[in-house]
């Protein structure tokens, strides 16, 4: 086995704050139009400060393509909102249209994002088919809804598998090997915690709420529900997020021989997310760029590549094989729906 190569992140909060504040002001002054250019500047800062084995990643997205995607998204949302004021049936028809086109848009967006990402001058790629997109982003989520969420871990595994198995670095394909058991295990550990929070808050509410309050139990249940939701955001989300990152990266391979590891701690992620939230609230949002840098550094620097061969030879080999196809696919990915 070759030496582990840990990713590094060299971004600084002070540097990124300057980019963030300019992006924010220009986006406001241009009524959101500049946000596409802001996204490119943001991505370029984060990509170019993410390093692996001495080389950094890069982002090449065209702001005009991103603006095109955002116009599509805004048109769909505005059409749905306006239709809702005049005709529920037309609004429902537009909502169904959005649901029907969304998998195709997401597939195009993912292709755009990967094609415009590179490492050592060699671009990433996405080869997912439209049928797979509809199965992953429409059929499985609908099945999850119909099962009252019981199929959500299976749905999430199918979505991740579709995205990873169809992604590539040059023409070297990634492969995702985790089954559904790992996803169910994550959520099965979260559910008892949420149930315990709800029961504790419900009991506490009955001790605090006066006896003469009408529908005392219902009021207590509502308060316990709100508290459980906040508990899920504050405690549950960092836990699920950390476990998912580890599960996904620990089961991702490149070209069948190069592996990745992730060692994010749920407690560490909770500490960063919670302190970021408090500091962002206390500073009226001006701490957000520093929070973004802290979170990115923690997530990125806990991921490593375990190459199956010398890294220089890997990149050189992939690059020589990919050269013939790069020009052909360059014109296909011309917009990004992601906001």
């Amino acid at each position: 086995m070759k030496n582990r190569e840990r990713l590094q992140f060299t971004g600084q909060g002070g540097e990124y704050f300057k980019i963030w504040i300019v992006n924010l002001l220009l986006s406001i002054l241009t009524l959101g139009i500049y946000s596409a250019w802001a996204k490119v500047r943001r991505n370029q800062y984060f990509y170019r400060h993410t390093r692996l084995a001495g080389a950094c990643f890069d982002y090449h997205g065209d702001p005009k393509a991103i603006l095109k995607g955002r116009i599509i998204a805004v048109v769909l949302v505005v059409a749905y909102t306006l239709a809702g004021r005049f005709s529920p049936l037309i609004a429902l028809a537009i909502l169904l249209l959005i649901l029907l086109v969304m998998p195709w848009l997401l597939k195009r967006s993912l292709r755009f994002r990967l094609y415009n990402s590179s490492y050592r001058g060699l671009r990433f790629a996405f080869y997912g088919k439209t049928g797979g997109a509809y199965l992953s982003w429409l059929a499985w989520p609908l099945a999850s809804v119909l099962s009252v969420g019981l199929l959500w871990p299976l749905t999430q595994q199918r979505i991740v598998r579709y995205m990873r198995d169809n992604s590539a670095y040059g023409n070297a394909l990634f492969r995702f090997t985790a089954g559904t058991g790992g996803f169910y295990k994550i959520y099965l550990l979260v559910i008892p915690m949420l149930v315990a929070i709800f029961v504790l808050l419900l009991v506490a509410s009955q001790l605090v709420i006066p006896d003469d309050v009408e529908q005392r139990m219902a009021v207590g249940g509502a308060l316990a529900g709100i508290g459980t939701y906040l508990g899920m955001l504050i405690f549950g989300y960092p836990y699920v997020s950390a476990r998912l990152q580890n599960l996904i990266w620990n089961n991702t391979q490149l070209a069948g021989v190069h592996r990745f590891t992730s060692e994010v701690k749920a407690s560490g992620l909770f500490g960063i997310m919670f302190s970021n939230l408090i500091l962002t609230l206390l500073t009226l949002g001006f701490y957000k760029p520093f929070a973004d840098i802290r979170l990115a550094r923690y997530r990125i620097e806990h991921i490593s590549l375990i190459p199956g061969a010398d890294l220089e030879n890997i990149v050189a080999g992939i690059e020589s094989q990919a050269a013939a196809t790069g020009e052909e696919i360059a014109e296909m990915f011309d917009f990004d729906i992601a906001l």
Side-chain angles (χ1 to χ4, degrees):
M1 180 181 293
K2 303 299 179 183
N3 292 330
R4 173 181 300 196
E5 296 285 356
R6 185 180 291 274
L7 272 75
Q8 297 177 311
F9 184 69
T10 60
Q12 298 295 325
E15 288 180 349
Y16 179 56
F17 178 83
K18 298 173 185 174
I19 296 173
W20 178 82
I21 194 67
V22 171
N23 284 345
L24 178 64
L25 293 175
L26 290 179
S27 295
I28 293 173
L29 291 174
T30 60
L31 302 178
I33 294 176
Y34 185 78
S35 65
W37 281 260
K39 179 178 179 178
V40 171
R41 293 187 67 202
R42 179 188 186 282
N43 284 351
Q44 286 179 340
Y45 183 82
F46 279 84
Y47 276 57
R48 291 171 183 175
H49 285 83
T50 301
R51 304 179 66 83
L52 175 64
C56 63
F57 291 78
D58 204 351
Y59 182 74
H60 314 275
D62 180 1
K64 295 190 290 297
I66 296 174
L67 182 62
K68 190 192 307 180
R70 294 192 171 186
I71 290 174
I72 293 173
V74 169
V75 167
L76 290 174
V77 171
V78 170
Y80 171 73
T81 303
L82 292 178
R85 297 183 179 180
F86 301 102
S87 171
L89 286 178
I90 295 177
L92 179 61
I94 294 176
L95 179 61
L96 291 176
L97 175 64
I98 292 174
L99 291 176
L100 287 175
V101 300
M102 190 56 68
W104 180 78
L105 293 173
L106 289 174
K107 186 199 74 170
R108 293 290 299 267
S109 178
L110 188 56
R111 284 186 171 186
F112 177 90
R113 189 190 314 165
L114 288 186
Y115 176 72
N116 286 295
S117 303
S118 70
Y119 173 67
R120 297 196 176 195
L122 180 61
R123 299 205 182 201
F124 292 81
F126 183 73
Y127 299 104
K129 304 296 184 185
T130 301
Y134 276 89
L135 192 61
S136 300
W137 285 316
L138 185 60
W140 279 112
L142 284 176
S144 179
V145 171
L146 294 175
S147 68
V148 201
L150 293 177
L151 290 179
W152 172 245
L154 173 61
T155 299
Q156 198 168 29
Q157 190 269 349
R158 293 293 189 269
I159 292 173
V160 174
R161 190 178 69 179
Y162 170 73
M163 295 171 67
R164 295 278 163 147
D165 284 356
N166 290 291
S167 297
Y169 175 54
N171 64 351
L173 288 171
F174 288 90
R175 185 66 59 200
F176 184 62
T177 59
T180 57
F183 287 83
Y184 271 99
K185 184 178 178 181
I186 292 173
Y187 290 100
L188 287 177
L189 290 174
V190 171
I191 291 174
M193 180 186 74
L194 296 178
V195 171
I197 292 175
F198 180 81
V199 172
L200 287 174
L201 291 176
L202 184 60
V203 171
S205 69
Q206 298 308 298
L207 296 175
V208 174
I209 299 175
D211 293 338
D212 57 349
V213 173
E214 293 185 5
Q215 298 182 329
R216 185 162 168 259
M217 181 59 74
V219 173
L223 292 175
I226 294 172
T228 303
Y229 177 73
L230 294 176
M232 181 179 66
L233 291 179
I234 295 174
F235 300 106
Y237 177 72
Y239 174 82
V240 171
S241 184
R243 291 293 181 267
L244 281 176
Q245 174 170 324
N246 292 343
L247 176 66
I248 292 170
W249 281 106
N250 291 338
N251 289 279
T252 296
Q253 299 177 355
L254 176 62
V257 293
H258 315 300
R259 298 190 298 111
F260 297 87
T261 64
S262 175
E263 299 170 322
V264 168
K265 303 291 185 185
S267 57
L269 200 58
F270 164 75
I272 291 176
M273 287 182 168
F274 186 71
S275 58
N276 280 350
L277 175 64
I278 298 299
L279 290 170
T280 301
L281 290 174
L282 290 176
T283 59
L284 302 178
F286 285 96
Y287 186 75
K288 188 177 184 307
F290 298 90
D292 291 344
I293 292 292
R294 287 182 70 204
L295 186 59
R297 176 176 290 109
Y298 185 76
R299 283 183 174 279
I300 291 171
E301 294 193 344
H302 282 81
I303 298 174
S304 299
L305 167 68
I306 303 177
D310 183 79
L311 191 58
E312 297 292 339
N313 293 335
I314 294 171
V315 176
I318 293 174
E319 189 170 12
S320 63
Q321 296 171 31
T325 57
E327 292 295 330
E328 180 181 351
I329 62 177
E331 299 300 325
M332 296 174 60
F333 316 130
D334 56 356
F335 76 88
D336 181 9
I337 194 70
L339 298 178

